Amino acid sequence: MTRVVVPVRYPLSKHSRATLDEAVRVARERDAELTVLHVDLYQSNRGVTRTELKRAVEAEFGPLVRARYVVRRGFLVEETILEEVAAEEADIVVIGSKQASRWRRMLRRFLDDPDIDVFLREKLDCTVITVRADD
């Protein structure tokens, strides 16, 4: 079965809602499992729970079939997302354009010309869909 992972902020921002909207569409279209991921940073320790994340998502999109809600704690959002994508063996990752920009900055420290889509495809063997929310 196809697995889609979508990292989001909590509370849901305009960009997170747009990213989620695309991830839900892709999951429905492909009859896939959907993992909604929020990274709660150790340094800010907001104590976000899976229940809060699920309620917020369902308030926007209604109950989702085959959806899983995950809150991970980490020091770096990008690294924690990559770990979850690998652990889930995700086929598709749906990220917002802001997240993609942060990943590019992180990868520049290690690579000359980072392309997050190519990096994830090569390292994790998954498709990356980048969503731009209208400002």
Side-chain angles (χ1 to χ4, degrees):
M1 176 169 278
T2 303
R3 294 177 189 194
V4 178
V5 174
V6 58
V8 298
R9 292 183 182 267
Y10 180 87
L12 296 177
S13 67
K14 174 183 176 181
H15 294 279
S16 289
R17 284 191 293 279
T19 305
L20 259 169
D21 188 49
E22 179 64 10
V24 168
R25 186 194 66 74
V26 168
R28 286 181 177 150
E29 179 180 281
R30 298 178 189 217
D31 198 28
E33 294 177 349
L34 176 66
T35 299
V36 180
L37 170 66
H38 170 73
V39 178
D40 196 10
L41 295 173
Y42 282 115
Q43 50 275 38
S44 56
N45 191 21
R46 297 184 52 215
V48 177
T49 67
R50 287 179 37 220
T51 302
E52 291 170 324
L53 180 60
K54 181 179 180 181
R55 283 185 187 143
V57 171
E58 289 184 347
E60 291 285 328
F61 298 94
L64 301 175
V65 179
R66 286 191 296 283
R68 186 171 164 255
Y69 300 88
V70 177
V71 176
R72 295 281 184 244
R73 296 197 62 210
F75 285 108
L76 295 172
V77 171
E78 298 81 7
E79 183 179 337
T80 306
I81 292 169
L82 288 173
E83 289 170 359
E84 185 66 24
V85 168
E88 287 278 324
E89 297 180 357
D91 299 293
I92 301 168
V93 180
V94 181
I95 58 173
S97 58
K98 285 186 171 188
Q99 186 66 49
S101 295
R102 281 193 289 275
W103 278 5
R104 282 186 193 93
R105 282 193 303 273
M106 178 188 78
L107 290 175
R108 272 194 194 104
R109 297 177 194 151
F110 307 108
L111 308 170
D112 290 333
D113 185 22
D115 182 331
I116 191 64
D117 295 348
V118 171
F119 177 81
L120 287 176
R121 212 173 294 121
E122 288 176 356
K123 298 298 181 189
L124 300 175
D125 191 29
C126 67
T127 299
V128 178
I129 299 171
T130 305
V131 178
R132 181 174 309 279
D134 295 330
D135 290 322

Coordinates of all heavy atoms in Angstrom, one line a residue, residues 82 85-86 107 111 116-126:
L82 N 13.0 13.7 8.2 CA 13.7 12.7 7.4 C 13.7 11.3 8.1 O 13.5 10.3 7.5 CB 15.1 13.1 7.1 CG 15.3 14.2 6.1 CD1 16.8 14.7 6.0 CD2 14.9 13.8 4.7
V85 N 10.2 9.8 7.7 CA 10.0 9.4 6.3 C 10.6 8.1 6.1 O 10.1 7.2 5.5 CB 10.4 10.5 5.3 CG1 10.5 10.0 3.9 CG2 9.5 11.7 5.4
A86 N 11.9 7.9 6.6 CA 12.6 6.7 6.4 C 11.9 5.6 7.2 O 11.8 4.4 6.7 CB 14.1 6.9 6.9
L107 N 20.8 21.4 3.7 CA 21.6 20.6 2.9 C 22.8 21.4 2.3 O 23.9 20.8 2.0 CB 20.8 20.0 1.7 CG 19.8 19.0 2.2 CD1 18.9 18.5 1.0 CD2 20.5 17.7 2.7
L111 N 26.3 19.9 0.9 CA 26.4 19.7 -0.5 C 26.5 21.0 -1.2 O 26.2 22.1 -0.7 CB 25.1 19.1 -1.0 CG 24.6 17.8 -0.3 CD1 23.2 17.4 -0.8 CD2 25.6 16.6 -0.6
I116 N 16.4 19.3 -2.9 CA 15.7 18.5 -1.9 C 14.9 17.4 -2.6 O 14.9 16.2 -2.1 CB 14.8 19.3 -1.0 CG1 14.4 18.5 0.2 CG2 13.6 19.9 -1.7 CD1 15.4 18.0 1.1
D117 N 14.3 17.6 -3.7 CA 13.6 16.5 -4.4 C 14.5 15.4 -4.8 O 14.2 14.2 -4.5 CB 12.9 17.1 -5.6 CG 11.8 18.1 -5.3 OD1 11.4 18.2 -4.1 OD2 11.3 18.7 -6.2
V118 N 15.6 15.7 -5.4 CA 16.6 14.7 -5.9 C 17.2 14.0 -4.6 O 17.3 12.8 -4.6 CB 17.7 15.3 -6.7 CG1 18.8 14.3 -7.0 CG2 17.1 15.9 -8.0
F119 N 17.6 14.8 -3.6 CA 18.2 14.2 -2.4 C 17.2 13.2 -1.8 O 17.6 12.1 -1.5 CB 18.5 15.3 -1.4 CG 19.0 14.8 -0.1 CD1 20.3 14.5 0.0 CD2 18.2 14.7 1.0 CE1 20.9 14.0 1.2 CE2 18.7 14.2 2.2 CZ 20.0 13.9 2.3
L120 N 16.0 13.5 -1.6 CA 15.0 12.6 -1.0 C 14.8 11.4 -1.9 O 14.7 10.3 -1.4 CB 13.7 13.3 -0.6 CG 13.7 14.3 0.5 CD1 12.4 15.0 0.7 CD2 14.1 13.6 1.8
R121 N 14.7 11.7 -3.1 CA 14.4 10.5 -4.1 C 15.6 9.6 -4.0 O 15.4 8.3 -4.0 CB 14.2 11.1 -5.5 CG 13.3 10.3 -6.3 CD 13.0 11.0 -7.7 NE 12.2 12.2 -7.5 CZ 12.7 13.4 -7.9 NH1 13.8 13.5 -8.6 NH2 11.9 14.5 -7.8
E122 N 16.8 10.1 -4.0 CA 18.0 9.2 -4.0 C 18.2 8.5 -2.7 O 18.5 7.3 -2.6 CB 19.2 10.0 -4.4 CG 19.3 10.4 -5.8 CD 20.5 11.2 -6.2 OE1 21.2 11.6 -5.2 OE2 20.7 11.5 -7.3
K123 N 18.1 9.3 -1.6 CA 18.3 8.7 -0.3 C 17.2 7.9 0.3 O 17.4 6.9 1.0 CB 18.7 9.9 0.7 CG 19.9 10.7 0.4 CD 21.1 9.8 0.4 CE 22.3 10.7 0.0 NZ 23.5 9.9 -0.2
L124 N 16.0 8.3 0.0 CA 14.8 7.6 0.6 C 13.9 6.9 -0.4 O 13.0 6.3 0.0 CB 14.0 8.6 1.4 CG 14.8 9.3 2.6 CD1 13.9 10.3 3.2 CD2 15.2 8.3 3.6
D125 N 14.2 7.1 -1.7 CA 13.5 6.4 -2.7 C 12.0 6.8 -2.6 O 11.1 5.9 -2.5 CB 13.7 4.9 -2.7 CG 13.1 4.2 -4.0 OD1 13.0 4.9 -5.0 OD2 12.7 3.1 -3.9
C126 N 11.7 8.1 -2.6 CA 10.3 8.5 -2.5 C 10.1 9.7 -3.4 O 11.0 10.4 -3.8 CB 9.9 8.8 -1.1 SG 10.7 10.2 -0.4

